Amino acid sequence: MKGRTIILDHIRDREAAALLVDGKLDDFLIAADAPAPGTIYRARADRPVKGQGGMFLATPDGPAFLRQVKGLAPGAPLPVQVTGYPEPGKAIPVTAKLLFKSRYAIVTPSAPGLNVSRSIKDEDERDRLQEIAHDEMGGSDFGLILRSACAGADAEEIAEDIAQMADLAAQVLQDSEGAPKRLADGDGPHVQAWRDWTDPAEVVTQPGGFAEHGVLDLLDDALSTRAPLAGGGFLFIEPTRALVAVDVNTGSDTSLAAGQKANFACAKALPRALRIRGLGGQIVLDLAPMAKKDRRGFESALRAALRADSEETTLAGWTPLGHFELQRKRGRVPVSEVLR
């Protein structure tokens, strides 16, 4: 099966979405029990955390934690937005910088200015989009970012998207007083797929689409602890409570050349492997043996692969034992936890 296919279906009564590229599972989203990233609360300041510059907040869905906050008195209400899924036993991570995000537009109440995605290079197209932005947001105190999906899109659809996000932002910010309350839900997998998987694709929405297109079998293979690498070798990906351990194995060939080959294949394959599994937090790579002079090339290959990834990932660097560490945003719930 060639090309891109987006399939919207359900697994165990949970909403889910799969992206197939040339018949290979490239991305997967599934609804979780925890509040989805993007959820907005009117929270209440509870207690500060000394030495960390943060504050625990009360929300209808349990305690939340806001980092780097100043001048917020206990008991004060404030709007906050969920930024990711919490670690087990920890508070919901939130931010006070709200974003109202759709397919074409991101409205930014705390960051004024009208901007067009840098990935849109054509000057005529940028001018067209700037005109649409000014028509819809002229006189507003809110900021706006027009996303890369706007390139070539219908002007009325873009304008409608902007208006909906601006109206939602105004509605949420006006509802500032009172007890803790959920003001807006984060997007579920189907809306998130429409919002973020914007490249041309066939879209399948009828029930049973996962079974018909082999998604369930592909998902079983993708969630295996062992993941094959192009050209030989494989990864072992094992989440623990503290971190995600990734072991790069060359198989029967233990030469330095095989180690370098497997490590560079790991750099290319790792973002997809983590994305499909919904894994984040601390990632530790136990790489195959390779010469130190090849480390910079490995980092460049990994950085290039992560540019197109949906989750923000920071390259933390090498440890004294030769492991490589990443810090990845917990923007998804681990799929194995949802389906266990």
Side-chain angles (χ1 to χ4, degrees):
M1 182 172 56
K2 296 295 183 180
R4 293 169 58 89
T5 305
I6 296 171
I7 305 169
L8 309 180
D9 202 353
H10 291 75
I11 295 179
R12 301 180 188 173
D13 297 324
R14 291 180 184 271
E15 189 176 289
L19 173 63
L20 304 185
V21 177
D22 295 335
K24 184 177 182 179
L25 185 63
D26 190 74
D27 207 345
F28 183 77
L29 304 167
I30 190 166
D33 295 327
T39 299
I40 299 176
Y41 298 112
R42 182 176 63 225
R44 185 185 68 240
D46 193 355
R47 58 184 176 87
V49 180
K50 294 182 179 180
Q52 295 188 26
M55 176 79 75
F56 280 105
L57 313 173
T59 80
D61 295 318
F65 185 70
L66 178 64
R67 296 182 181 275
Q68 299 176 341
V69 60
K70 294 181 180 179
L72 183 63
L78 76 160
V80 294
Q81 188 168 40
V82 177
T83 59
Y85 288 98
E87 299 178 52
K90 294 191 177 182
I92 303 166
V94 296
T95 179
K97 295 181 179 179
L98 308 186
L99 297 178
F100 297 84
K101 186 176 182 180
S102 190
R103 184 179 178 90
Y104 298 118
I106 303 175
V107 171
T108 58
S110 60
L114 305 180
N115 300 282
V116 176
S117 170
R118 294 178 183 175
S119 66
I120 300 176
K121 306 296 185 182
D122 184 85
E123 289 300 324
D124 290 338
E125 180 66 359
R126 293 183 67 86
D127 289 343
R128 179 183 81 97
L129 296 175
Q130 284 283 3
E131 185 175 342
I132 296 171
H134 281 283
D135 288 345
E136 291 299 318
M137 299 293 289
S140 173
D141 293 330
F142 296 161
L144 174 71
I145 301 170
L146 291 182
R147 306 181 68 200
S148 58
C150 290
D154 181 76
E156 291 187 3
E157 291 184 6
I158 297 172
E160 182 180 354
D161 231 19
I162 295 171
Q164 288 180 349
M165 292 299 100
D167 288 347
L168 178 60
Q171 177 184 332
V172 165
L173 294 177
Q174 287 171 2
D175 198 355
S176 59
E177 299 294 332
K181 178 182 178 183
R182 184 183 291 200
L183 301 177
D185 290 323
D187 291 334
H190 291 181
V191 173
Q192 190 178 344
W194 168 82
R195 188 190 75 193
D196 294 336
W197 297 346
T198 55
D199 288 342
E202 176 191 0
V203 180
V204 177
T205 59
Q206 69 265 25
F210 283 168
E212 181 180 345
H213 289 267
V215 171
L216 300 179
D217 290 336
L218 291 172
L219 187 61
D220 284 342
D221 292 341
L223 294 181
S224 170
T225 301
R226 175 171 163 161
L229 292 173
F234 44 88
L235 303 178
F236 281 110
I237 303 173
E238 299 180 281
T240 72
R241 184 174 180 86
L243 51 82
V244 177
V246 180
D247 178 50
V248 181
N249 196 302
T250 62
S252 59
D253 189 344
T254 58
S255 67
L256 280 180
Q260 181 200 35
K261 183 178 179 180
N263 290 339
F264 277 67
C266 165
K268 185 176 181 180
L270 186 65
R272 171 184 171 272
L274 297 175
R275 185 170 64 242
I276 291 172
R277 290 166 173 80
L279 298 176
Q282 298 179 58
I283 316 290
V284 178
L285 308 183
D286 183 10
L287 297 167
M290 70 176 175
K292 283 191 175 181
K293 65 181 178 64
D294 293 322
R295 285 185 173 185
R296 182 169 295 180
F298 168 81
E299 291 181 52
S300 297
L302 182 57
R303 191 174 288 109
L306 287 167
R307 276 193 205 106
D309 194 39
S310 57
E311 301 300 336
E312 180 182 346
T313 304
T314 301
L315 305 188
W318 300 91
T319 73
L321 291 178
H323 298 146
F324 192 79
E325 296 183 327
L326 313 173
Q327 182 68 39
R328 185 173 174 85
K329 180 180 177 182
R330 295 179 183 273
R332 303 184 180 194
V333 65
V335 176
S336 60
E337 291 185 7
V338 177
L339 296 180
R340 72 171 48 153

